[in-house]
């Protein structure tokens, strides 16, 4: 049994460095500790200037995503014991600009998320007096998997297409668009189609499949995108064969 | 996509790493993906081979014999062996990804992936047998 | 609808080509590329093959087998060039090369199959 484990933590302090360097920290090894516990230990005891994001430490808030030994992970759900004897290399999420140390700039993702209109769109709102929009368990099950997304951006850090082309809308936003498209209460599919059917939308995806493997919530964005491609292609042929059928 | 980096537009000191040209060589899963994509080159090679065979057939028995002669050269055997490996890789990856693109629901429950992939493999064996039967001359 | 994208068309061709390639290429490549040349299985004679190829249905299958997998290649190769080599700025050239190649191959396949005596 080892007593300590070494973390190689990426440091980037824009006022003193032009590119990130690694700093080694020796932390106590505890088999119940996750990488985030180790980072908290560093911040509390060794170097209070270390910057990173975290909140719930239970896989719900989606703010502690980082690269752990080259793989995008929620650090609150990644145990130190998996990497014995170490060292463990902790870096900010790949493919995003780094603001400081382990914190990335996420405006790009936030804009993309908003652009796909991830909310229920109604052509006509029903008055409150008529009650809620009901849904059967089967209708819920249809999109439930895609609704588990916690916006942790781990799928973006796994996606080489996003890394190579930042115009690509990316896995989480596309999966969430599909989540609302498949919701029986939603009527916004046509409204989302223009954006999603661009090259930077679903067609940019080459089905690498890494987003799905990396997702801590089993959302399967890659599946969502391919399903949407199939649907969009079917619609395309329909509108081609029956142009009068288009609204 | 419109660039709307409101308050961050004049932030000069982000660090952004450039993606290496060899990004696909640095991670096994990425490399496997590139191999899958490159299998398409061997698919195209197969079509070229078929076109040459058909062209030779239409030119008469001598041309056909000549191309068969070429197919027996070590170079052709090696090339075809490698191509077979890649096209098999294409077949397997294609079938395994099918359930993800075309989920099937029965009674509101999504069928497990293997139940969608398995019929593909069965159909593959059947089609292969039929093709072989026709070619070898049943 | 905004600008009409051709992506659904090329993606459909890519997918159907992928399906045909997955089901039919390994067995044919095994027979003609390895089993016949190496003598594992006795190769069919010229007349026997011609009888098969002369049948209109065989020609139709062969046409599909040549054309669609070429579009499958075109699509995948286009993205591999984009991403693998990071040369997306040569977009037009790559598109013409890939899909143009598939169109030429399709025409050639049609020509050869049509002219089989």
């Amino acid at each position: 049994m080892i007593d300590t484990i070494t973390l190689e933590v990426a440091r980037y302090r824009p006022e003193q460095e032009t590119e990130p360097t690694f700093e080694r920290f020796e932390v106590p090894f505890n088999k119940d500790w996750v990488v985030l516990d180790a980072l908290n230990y560093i911040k509390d005891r060794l170097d209070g200037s270390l910057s990173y994001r975290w909140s719930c430490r239970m896989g719900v808030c989606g703010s502690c995503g980082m690269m752990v030994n080259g793989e995008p992970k929620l650090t609150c759900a990644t145990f130190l014991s998996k990497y014995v004897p170490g060292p463990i290399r902790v870096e900010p999420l790949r493919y995003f600009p780094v603001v400081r140390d382990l914190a990335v700039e996420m405006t790009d993702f936030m804009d993309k998320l908003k652009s796909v209109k991830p909310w229920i769109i109604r052509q006509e709102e029903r008055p409150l007096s008529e009650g809620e929009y009901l849904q059967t368990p089967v209708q819920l099950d249809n999109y439930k998997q895609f609704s588990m997304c916690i916006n942790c951006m781990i799928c973006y850090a796994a996606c080489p297409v996003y890394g190579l082309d930042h115009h690509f809308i990316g896995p989480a936003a596309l999966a969430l668009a599909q989540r609302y498209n498949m919701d029986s209460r939603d009527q916004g599919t046509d409204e989302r189609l223009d954006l999603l059917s661009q090259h930077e939308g679903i067609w940019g995806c080459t089905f690498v499949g890494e987003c799905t493997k990396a997702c801590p919530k089993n959302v399967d964005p890659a599946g969502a995108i391919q399903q949407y491609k199939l649907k969009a292609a079917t619609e395309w042929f329909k509108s081609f064969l029956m142009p009068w059928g288009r609204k | 996509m419109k660039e709307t980096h409101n308050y961050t537009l004049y932030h000069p000191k982000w660090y952004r790493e450039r993606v290496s040209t060899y990004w696909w060589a640095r991670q096994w899963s990425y490399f496997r993906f590139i191999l899958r994509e490159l299998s398409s080159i061997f698919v195209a090679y197969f079509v070229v081979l078929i076109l040459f065979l058909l062209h030779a057939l239409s030119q008469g028995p001598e041309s056909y014999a000549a191309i068969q002669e070429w197919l027996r050269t070590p170079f052709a055997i090696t090339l075809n062996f490698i191509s077979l490996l890649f096209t098999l890789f294409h077949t397997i990856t294609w079938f395994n990804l099918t359930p993800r693109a075309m989920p099937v629901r029965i009674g509101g429950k999504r069928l497990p992936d293997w139940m969608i992939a398995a019929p593909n493999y069965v159909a593959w064996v059947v089609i292969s047998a039929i093709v072989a039967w026709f070619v070898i001359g049943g | 609808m905004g600008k009409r994208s051709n992506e659904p068309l090329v993606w459909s061709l890519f997918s159907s080509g992928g399906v045909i390639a997955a089901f039919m290429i390994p067995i044919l490549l095994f027979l003609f590329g390895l089993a016949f040349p190496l003598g594992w299985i006795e190769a069919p004679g010229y007349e026997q093959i011609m009888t098969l190829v002369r049948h209109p249905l065989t020609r139709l299958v062969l046409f599909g087998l040549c054309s669609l997998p070429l579009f499958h290649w075109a699509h995948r190769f286009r993205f591999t060039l984009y991403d693998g080599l990071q040369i997306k700025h040569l977009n037009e050239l790559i598109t013409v090369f890939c899909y143009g190649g598939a169109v030429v191959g399709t025409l050639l396949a049609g020509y050869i199959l049509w002219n089989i005596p």
Side-chain angles (χ1 to χ4, degrees):
Chain A
M1 203 62 197
I2 55 169
D3 299 328
T4 62
I5 193 160
T6 304
L7 261 67
E8 294 175 355
V9 182
R11 300 301 305 263
Y12 172 62
R13 289 147 293 197
E15 67 282 359
Q16 69 188 70
E17 288 144 337
T18 51
E19 56 183 68
T21 52
F22 284 95
E23 194 170 348
R24 291 170 77 91
F25 295 102
E26 190 107 337
V27 300
F29 175 78
N30 183 328
K31 71 175 170 49
D32 300 325
W33 274 17
V34 290
V35 174
L36 181 62
D37 291 320
L39 291 174
N40 284 339
Y41 179 88
I42 296 170
K43 178 125 181 135
D44 291 346
R45 312 281 181 90
L46 305 177
D47 185 346
S49 72
L50 182 67
S51 301
Y52 54 97
R53 293 195 184 97
W54 68 287
S55 177
C56 78
R57 52 125 190 84
M58 50 193 271
V60 176
C61 75
S63 41
C64 69
M66 295 168 209
M67 305 301 291
V68 180
N69 277 4
E71 287 178 20
K73 295 274 184 196
L74 283 185
T75 48
C76 70
T78 307
F79 285 88
L80 295 178
S81 55
K82 207 185 141 194
Y83 300 96
V84 168
I88 306 174
R89 188 164 263 231
V90 187
E91 294 162 276
L93 275 184
R94 187 166 52 182
Y95 305 143
F96 288 99
V98 184
V99 179
R100 186 178 197 87
D101 294 344
L102 299 167
V104 296
E105 165 54 44
M106 46 196 189
T107 312
D108 185 44
F109 171 66
M110 292 303 173
D111 287 344
K112 281 173 177 160
L113 195 58
K114 202 165 72 184
S115 73
V116 303
K117 304 187 180 175
W119 51 78
I120 287 178
I121 297 172
R122 299 287 302 179
Q123 302 306 330
E124 213 171 304
E125 286 287 353
R126 226 160 50 181
L128 220 60
S129 56
E130 284 178 35
E132 56 274 73
Y133 300 110
L134 294 177
Q135 196 164 54
T136 66
V138 171
Q139 285 170 330
L140 169 68
D141 194 54
N142 227 357
Y143 67 82
K144 194 175 173 200
Q145 185 185 19
F146 301 145
S147 75
M148 304 309 281
C149 176
I150 55 173
N151 303 343
C152 64
M153 310 192 296
I154 278 180
C155 53
Y156 284 73
C159 174
V161 179
Y162 178 70
L164 292 162
D165 181 0
H166 288 271
H167 296 293
F168 179 47
I169 295 175
L174 290 170
L176 274 166
Q178 186 65 347
R179 172 247 176 277
Y180 284 93
N181 284 339
M182 291 170 83
D183 191 319
S184 58
R185 301 163 297 179
D186 180 83
Q187 299 170 329
T189 307
D190 288 348
E191 222 172 288
R192 291 186 196 100
L193 186 71
D194 273 0
L195 180 71
L196 298 184
S197 61
Q198 288 174 14
H199 180 80
E200 289 74 25
I202 47 173
W203 305 113
C205 167
T206 48
F207 209 171
V208 182
E210 284 301 294
C211 51
T212 297
K213 273 190 235 159
C215 179
K217 307 302 272 186
N218 298 317
V219 169
D220 192 9
I225 297 170
Q226 309 321 305
Q227 290 165 32
Y228 197 73
K229 280 185 191 168
L230 197 61
K231 177 122 194 312
T234 319
E235 290 296 317
W236 188 87
F237 276 103
K238 264 195 219 159
S239 76
F240 192 70
L241 295 172
M242 305 178 291
W244 60 88
R246 252 203 118 69
K247 280 167 276 180
Chain B
M1 184 117 228
K2 212 168 74 200
E3 304 281 352
T4 50
H5 298 160
N6 310 324
Y7 74 96
T8 49
L9 185 63
Y10 300 105
H11 197 305
K13 290 201 164 179
W14 290 345
Y15 175 77
R16 176 162 241 163
E17 194 182 8
R18 199 187 157 280
V19 176
S20 157
T21 307
Y22 306 102
W23 59 271
W24 40 268
R26 297 192 170 174
Q27 195 176 317
W28 165 241
S29 54
Y30 284 175
F31 188 64
R32 193 173 175 278
F33 159 75
I34 280 290
L35 288 182
R36 187 191 86 191
E37 299 301 292
L38 289 181
S39 72
S40 66
I41 292 178
F42 296 94
V43 166
Y45 157 74
F46 169 80
V47 173
V48 171
L49 178 66
I50 282 285
L51 288 178
F52 269 105
L53 273 170
L54 287 169
H55 180 69
L57 278 169
S58 67
Q59 297 297 304
E62 294 81 28
S63 315
Y64 185 60
I67 201 163
Q68 276 186 311
E69 193 57 47
W70 178 78
L71 282 169
R72 278 192 285 269
T73 60
F75 173 75
I77 296 282
T78 314
L79 179 61
N80 288 328
F81 179 69
I82 294 169
S83 305
L84 180 64
L85 291 184
F86 270 95
T87 53
L88 280 173
F89 189 56
H90 164 70
T91 302
I92 292 163
T93 49
W94 192 267
F95 290 164
N96 290 352
L97 289 177
T98 305
R100 305 265 302 286
M102 300 172 142
V104 178
R105 283 166 197 282
I106 290 179
K109 284 267 171 265
R110 184 171 164 175
L111 286 184
D113 284 358
W114 69 266
M115 280 180 76
I116 302 162
N120 279 294
Y121 283 99
V122 174
W124 182 35
V125 172
V126 172
I127 290 174
S128 298
I130 293 172
V131 169
W133 187 77
F134 268 106
V135 172
I136 298 168
Chain C
M1 187 141 173
K3 64 172 179 186
R4 212 179 160 91
S5 148
N6 290 322
E7 295 283 359
L9 175 67
V10 290
W11 184 80
S12 305
L13 290 169
F14 153 78
S15 299
S16 28
V19 172
I20 293 189
F23 279 112
M24 297 192 55
I25 291 184
I27 180 68
L28 286 170
L29 201 51
F30 172 74
L31 290 175
F32 285 95
L34 294 176
F36 295 156
L38 291 172
W40 296 343
I41 300 172
E42 199 196 334
Y46 177 76
E47 271 312 314
Q48 196 184 340
I49 287 273
M50 281 306 274
T51 317
L52 185 66
V53 171
R54 277 196 197 102
H55 196 283
L57 208 62
T58 316
R59 290 195 209 194
L60 196 67
V61 171
L62 282 172
F63 181 69
L65 182 66
C66 290
S67 172
L68 291 170
L70 279 179
F71 282 98
H72 172 82
W73 161 79
H75 200 64
R76 273 199 163 161
F77 198 60
R78 171 183 146 215
F79 278 99
T80 310
L81 290 178
Y82 279 2
D83 297 338
L85 300 178
Q86 299 192 20
I87 47 175
K88 207 165 184 171
H89 54 280
L90 300 175
N91 193 356
E92 273 88 21
L93 197 69
I94 294 173
T95 307
V96 168
F97 170 70
C98 291
Y99 298 112
V103 170
V104 169
T106 300
L107 293 175
L108 207 61
Y111 175 80
I112 292 173
L113 285 164
W114 190 261
N115 285 304
I116 283 178

